[in-house]
Every structure is written in structure tokens, then in C-alpha cells.
Amino acid sequence: GAVVSQHPSWVICKSGTSVKIECRSLDFQATTMFWYRQFPKQSLMLMATSNEGSKATYEQGVEKDKFLINHASLTLSTLTVTSAHPEDSSFYICSARDVVVNTGELFFGEGSRLTVL
Amino acid sequence: GNSVTQMEGPVTLSEEAFLTINCTYTATGYPSLFWYVQYPGEGLQLLLKATKADDKGSNKGFEATYRKETTSFHLEKGSVQVSDSAVYFCALRDAAAGNKLTFGGGTRVLVKP
């Protein structure tokens, strides 16, 4: 099946720094990718929809200046957590849909765990 | 708004035992329903789905039936294996809500030999 890869899988940073997380579709093209956040023992919460070549669409309550999303190519979307604080510590997951073989199925990355000290 | 509720884990059971994970939903429209599985260290994978009432999704010995009357989509497997140890997520996608996926909280299943 289609593979979505995230990097890094885990990262620890100091408060006030920025962290970039990459989401790549390895063997398919994705005009749209989705970014989720998962708190411990809680559900995945959709943060934003990343659109190739245009601005991301953020869900209500998600700060767009805090969570910068760039989708510069059909295989790469990046999420940058700016001026990270301990409350941003979480598990971030991306997903993508194959635009060519459009079965509607979403393929998920393995997730990136961010810990802000 | 839409929501998905599933039983909290962890669920611990022995190999060859019967597994049931309850899932109920609320939706404004007529959603499609999904079960995703997340094995340790891996991303979520689609396990099975059902797109309309009374449909049964099945895969790898797992089954779930879309019950509109009870707004449920319970996951079952008759005889689990150690390799079924994972976190299972129930989810819905509702066209009336922009086709976004809404997830349940996940249920961790641990199968012991």
C-alpha cells in the first residue's frame, strides 16, 4: 500500500525554539495532506488541511501563526511549531490521499512526538 | 457536531479469545464508518469500512456492521492472535461536515500468548 513517512519521529526542544516536522508521501502524489494532533489517551484532533500550492485551511481554535504549514510539492508537507512551549508537547500525525489512485482512503504517517522542555 | 465514542482500554485478553470493541457515533448526516489500527511504531492503517446502513466491513478476521438504528459500529474478531495487539480507532466521515474524519479515542488491545 501507499506509504506516508514523517520525520523526525521524535524531537525534544527547548521552550521558545521552533520545530519543523516533515510529512512525505513516498510512492504517490498528494494534493491534500492533513495534520492531526493526539494527546495522551485521547483521540486524533484535526488541526489543518494542507493544500499543495496554496494556503492551509485551519480548524477552529488552531493558531495558524503558531502552527505554520507549507505544502510546496505533491509529496511534501511541513508543519512548523513556532516558539514552542511545553503545552505544545504532543503527538503529531499527518495523513494523505493518493490523488491519482483516488479510492478515498487516507494513508497515515507513523507520527512525530514533540516534547518541549 | 459529529462525535465517536469507543470503549476505553486497555483490553487484555488471551490468544484465541473473542474480541469486541464497542463504538457508537453521532452525526448530522449519513456518515461512512471506519476502523483504523495502529501497530506499535507504525502509522494508522485502514482496517475496514462500511459506507451505508447494514453494510458489514471485514478484513483479517475482523468484522463490523453499520447499525443505523443503534448508531453503532462494533468491531469483533472471533479468535485473536498476539499480532493483533495494537490500538484500534473507530472513525466516521460525514459529507455534511466537509468529509473530515472524526476519530474516537482509541482502544489499546493487548493479546497475551
Side-chain angles (χ1 to χ4, degrees), chain B residues 45-107:
Chain B
Q45 302 173 26
L46 178 63
L47 180 59
L48 53 84
K49 67 179 182 182
T51 58
K52 61 182 187 298
D54 300 325
D55 270 1
K56 177 186 285 187
S58 61
N59 185 26
K60 298 181 180 181
F62 289 89
E63 291 185 343
T65 301
Y66 189 143
R67 302 287 189 198
K68 187 178 178 182
E69 64 275 14
T70 54
T71 62
S72 66
F73 193 54
H74 304 322
L75 182 68
E76 297 181 337
K77 184 172 185 179
S79 177
V80 294
Q81 305 299 313
V82 173
S83 57
D84 294 323
S85 298
V87 182
Y88 294 82
F89 292 90
C90 185
L92 69 83
R93 188 173 69 206
D94 185 0
N99 271 319
K100 297 170 185 173
L101 273 178
T102 301
F103 286 90
T107 302

Side-chain angles (χ1 to χ4, degrees), chain A residues 36 38 41-44 46 59 91 93 97 103-110, chain B residues 36 38 41-46 49 89 93 99-106:
Chain A
Y36 297 84
Q38 185 181 25
K41 299 184 179 180
Q42 293 189 31
S43 179
L44 280 73
L46 179 64
E59 295 300 299
F91 197 55
I93 301 173
R97 185 176 289 130
T103 63
E105 182 176 349
L106 277 178
F107 301 97
F108 287 80
E110 63 273 32
Chain B
Y36 284 86
Q38 185 176 30
E42 298 183 19
L44 276 74
Q45 302 173 26
L46 178 63
K49 67 179 182 182
F89 292 90
R93 188 173 69 206
N99 271 319
K100 297 170 185 173
L101 273 178
T102 301
F103 286 90

Side-chain angles (χ1 to χ4, degrees), chain A residues 12-117:
Chain A
I12 302 173
C13 70
K14 293 182 178 180
S15 187
T17 61
S18 295
V19 175
K20 180 186 286 186
I21 301 171
E22 294 184 347
C23 176
R24 293 181 184 273
S25 55
L26 296 186
D27 49 3
F28 66 98
Q29 295 181 332
T31 54
T32 302
M33 293 184 174
F34 303 89
W35 285 96
Y36 297 84
R37 184 173 178 177
Q38 185 181 25
F39 294 98
K41 299 184 179 180
Q42 293 189 31
S43 179
L44 280 73
M45 180 191 75
L46 179 64
M47 298 174 64
T49 302
S50 171
N51 304 298
E52 187 268 335
S54 64
K55 292 182 179 180
T57 305
Y58 290 82
E59 295 300 299
Q60 192 172 11
V62 178
E63 300 176 61
K64 58 182 66 177
D65 294 331
K66 174 73 168 177
F67 299 100
L68 299 179
I69 291 173
N70 183 279
H71 194 155
S73 76
L74 286 172
T75 60
L76 174 64
S77 175
T78 60
L79 168 68
T80 301
V81 183
T82 63
S83 186
H85 288 91
E87 58 265 31
D88 299 324
S89 299
S90 192
F91 197 55
Y92 293 89
I93 301 173
C94 73
S95 69
R97 185 176 289 130
D98 189 333
V99 67
V100 176
V101 182
N102 190 13
T103 63
E105 182 176 349
L106 277 178
F107 301 97
F108 287 80
E110 63 273 32
S112 299
R113 184 169 299 284
L114 170 63
T115 300
V116 184
L117 302 178

